[in-house]
Amino acid sequence: MQSIMLALAFAGAAQPNLPTASSDDESAQAPVASQATGDVGQDRDETPATDPYPREAIGEGQVVGRLASTRWTEDWRAMADQAKRDDFLDRLKFLPLSDDGEVYLTLSGEIRVRSDFLTNTGLVERPTERRDRLRVIGGADLHLGPNVRLFAEIAHGGLDGRNLTTQQTNFKNDLVVQQAFAEVSGDIAGLEAGARYGRQEFLDGSALLIGSRDFNTIRFVVNGLRTWVRGSRVRAGLFDFEFTELGAGGTSDDRSDDDTRFSGVNLGFVLATDMFGGSKLYFDPFIWRLRQNDLTWGPQIADDRRLYTGARLWGSAGPITVDWNANYQSGSFGDRDISAWQVFLSQTYRLGEDRTAPSVGLRFDYGSGGNGTSGTGTLRTATTPYGINAPFGYQITMTPTNLLAVTPGFNFQAFKNFSVNLEYQLSYRPEETDAVYRPINRPYVGTDQVSGHKVADMIRMQTRWNITPRLFLGTRTEYTIARNVLTRAGYADSFFATAWLSYRF
């Protein structure tokens, strides 16, 4: 895979990591006002509801131009008109299977090549690591009339490189059924109602809590049932899922993991839209329950039963974009009580009238900690159901557990279709007697035995170039400066650089 060392990465993911409303793709956090642009994926009207809930606020991924991070969000019926097709691939977006066009097939795909360079992977002194990665995805969306659809997507993940520290199945996988579901929807008393059953992406919430983990080669998916009812200003949804346990071979070794169950209810309300010359603000309360059997916290392995009670306020008001989230976590870990908090506050201010004007932003991210490595007492370590960690570093060195991070940022468009995002993250641990954590509840060994609160500083730059509507090039460079908590425990600085090239149709 030497040939893919220099140009690499991914489309929907390549959106700059602005400290604003969270989206999913590779920690992209685009301004809410631009999360649903173009004519695809916004106004999907298979159901006859005359005034549907805004499409950018129903948890079906981000839309950039005519492509969506979640491919079944796209609506390509306009391609029935030959005059609207830009090239021969547009013909694949609408393949009629009935004379009236009500039964049709949409094909989709992605090829992403990417290369990562890391020094001191995991903040441990070791030889430089290079990861060459390949993603190939093929999908088919079959519409059986206006109210029934079947969607399937398969993916391949390739991994090569030098001094590799990971061979995980979400990086390297011969073939996996990434999604496969059936959906029914319709109009009930003027409301849009629907249900989706099977393997699917579920992104209804902040990307810091629920995300596709697009940094990985194989995206994160769940198995089960999602239902919804939506009006023009109010919505409600119920879901019940199990996680997916991936094998490394073909499609037959991936299974629904009955040791993890994620269920709950999401509500949504459209707030006033006449402030600051027009705004899009949404308030989303939620109650979720996550059950994980045989989870590890420090020296103890036990069943974790965690109830999330929280809300999200997000959207845009004039030049201001916000994404504010808070949740309280209760429940039990074995015979111990759980009491934990998370607060994520992101906001940006656009320095001009044009939507491409530069913007400044500030993120404040907090996850409580306490007794994670002690094995006794009330467990105060916050964790996410399956959110993305890339906003805290593409090196995947931090996670919102016993973490307080303050991140100012600046975003600007260097030239047409090319944007740059700069950030400086200051990271602390709130609870001095607990460890610093990386993803999946893994403590940095020894950090609970040293004093101090300052964990690390991180400098990062990310770029995105929309070369064509289907071709995206992204880069990201980071430098993590270990501060007193990490250095006292024997950890080192780390440099990370990546580039990715993605072609989607």
Side-chain angles (χ1 to χ4, degrees), residues 308-496:
Y308 295 78
T309 305
R312 179 187 187 197
L313 175 65
W314 63 283
S316 61
I320 301 171
T321 299
V322 300
D323 193 349
W324 297 342
N325 303 263
N327 71 82
Y328 175 67
Q329 301 170 23
S330 58
S332 64
F333 176 67
D335 58 358
R336 301 164 61 189
D337 291 335
I338 294 174
S339 180
W341 282 93
Q342 285 177 327
V343 178
F344 307 124
L345 304 176
S346 299
Q347 42 276 312
T348 61
Y349 184 82
R350 191 174 65 248
L351 303 174
E353 296 296 327
D354 192 86
R355 288 174 61 183
T356 62
S359 61
V360 294
L362 180 68
R363 278 203 350 246
F364 174 90
D365 300 309
Y366 169 79
S368 65
N371 298 326
T373 58
S374 69
T376 61
T378 298
L379 188 63
R380 303 189 184 280
T381 48
T383 187
T384 68
Y386 57 91
I388 57 175
N389 289 282
F392 305 106
Y394 265 36
Q395 301 163 67
I396 313 299
T397 52
M398 301 290 168
T399 194
T401 301
N402 198 23
L403 177 71
L404 190 157
V406 180
T407 310
F410 177 65
N411 184 80
F412 64 96
Q413 184 165 305
F415 53 84
K416 184 178 181 181
N417 297 327
F418 184 86
S419 57
V420 180
N421 178 245
L422 305 172
E423 288 185 328
Y424 193 98
Q425 178 176 306
L426 301 95
S427 302
Y428 306 83
R429 63 171 176 183
E431 178 52 57
E432 190 173 11
T433 61
D434 201 359
V436 178
Y437 288 86
R438 66 188 82 189
I440 322 178
N441 312 332
R442 294 176 297 169
Y444 284 96
V445 176
T447 53
D448 57 338
Q449 303 299 315
V450 300
S451 61
H453 290 279
K454 188 62 183 294
V455 174
D457 290 345
M458 186 178 295
I459 307 166
R460 52 182 174 247
M461 179 179 73
Q462 183 162 328
T463 68
R464 172 188 174 93
W465 182 18
N466 296 355
I467 302 172
T468 74
R470 292 194 175 97
L471 184 64
F472 301 82
L473 173 66
T475 70
R476 186 174 176 103
T477 305
E478 295 182 347
Y479 188 74
T480 299
I481 308 168
R483 297 304 189 187
N484 57 8
V485 176
L486 289 174
T487 57
R488 289 170 182 170
Y491 293 94
D493 295 356
S494 177
F495 174 77
F496 172 87

Side-chain angles (χ1 to χ4, degrees), residues 98-243:
S98 64
D99 293 339
D100 60 5
E102 290 293 319
V103 179
Y104 67 94
L105 181 68
T106 293
L107 301 179
S108 60
E110 178 190 3
I111 298 176
R112 183 186 80 173
V113 289
R114 173 181 182 138
S115 208
D116 304 335
F117 299 85
L118 304 88
T119 66
N120 298 336
T121 305
L123 307 184
V124 176
E125 292 187 3
R126 63 182 70 187
T128 298
E129 178 179 3
R130 192 192 79 239
R131 301 171 183 167
D132 298 329
R133 295 196 268 154
L134 172 68
R135 169 196 282 168
V136 181
I137 299 176
D141 192 358
L142 177 61
H143 293 254
L144 302 174
N147 305 115
V148 180
R149 75 192 308 183
L150 302 174
F151 182 85
E153 194 173 65
I154 59 173
H156 164 78
L159 176 65
D160 201 348
R162 185 180 65 208
N163 300 322
L164 292 175
T165 61
T166 181
Q167 294 284 345
Q168 295 173 310
T169 55
N170 54 10
F171 274 59
K172 184 176 183 179
N173 207 305
D174 287 345
L175 196 65
V176 59
V177 177
Q178 189 163 266
Q179 297 191 78
F181 63 77
E183 177 188 301
V184 295
S185 59
D187 181 40
I188 301 178
L191 300 175
E192 177 190 348
R196 184 179 301 131
Y197 180 78
R199 182 168 295 174
Q200 59 191 275
E201 292 184 357
F202 179 71
L203 307 175
D204 199 352
S206 165
L208 296 177
L209 293 174
I210 299 176
S212 67
R213 296 183 182 174
D214 197 67
F215 175 87
N216 302 330
T217 305
I218 305 299
R219 290 159 68 101
F220 190 93
V221 292
V222 291
N223 306 272
L225 177 67
R226 179 187 186 183
T227 65
W228 63 86
V229 177
R230 302 164 185 153
S232 61
R233 301 185 65 85
V234 180
R235 71 181 181 107
L238 295 169
F239 64 89
D240 186 21
F241 296 120
E242 292 179 346
F243 289 179

Side-chain angles (χ1 to χ4, degrees), residues 293-306:
N293 294 340
D294 299 326
L295 194 67
T296 299
W297 282 110
Q300 188 177 3
I301 300 175
D303 294 345
D304 192 289
R305 305 287 187 266
R306 198 168 290 245

Side-chain angles (χ1 to χ4, degrees), residues 24-35:
D24 189 18
D25 284 336
E26 302 216 31
S27 81
Q29 297 183 358
V32 171
S34 66
Q35 280 189 344

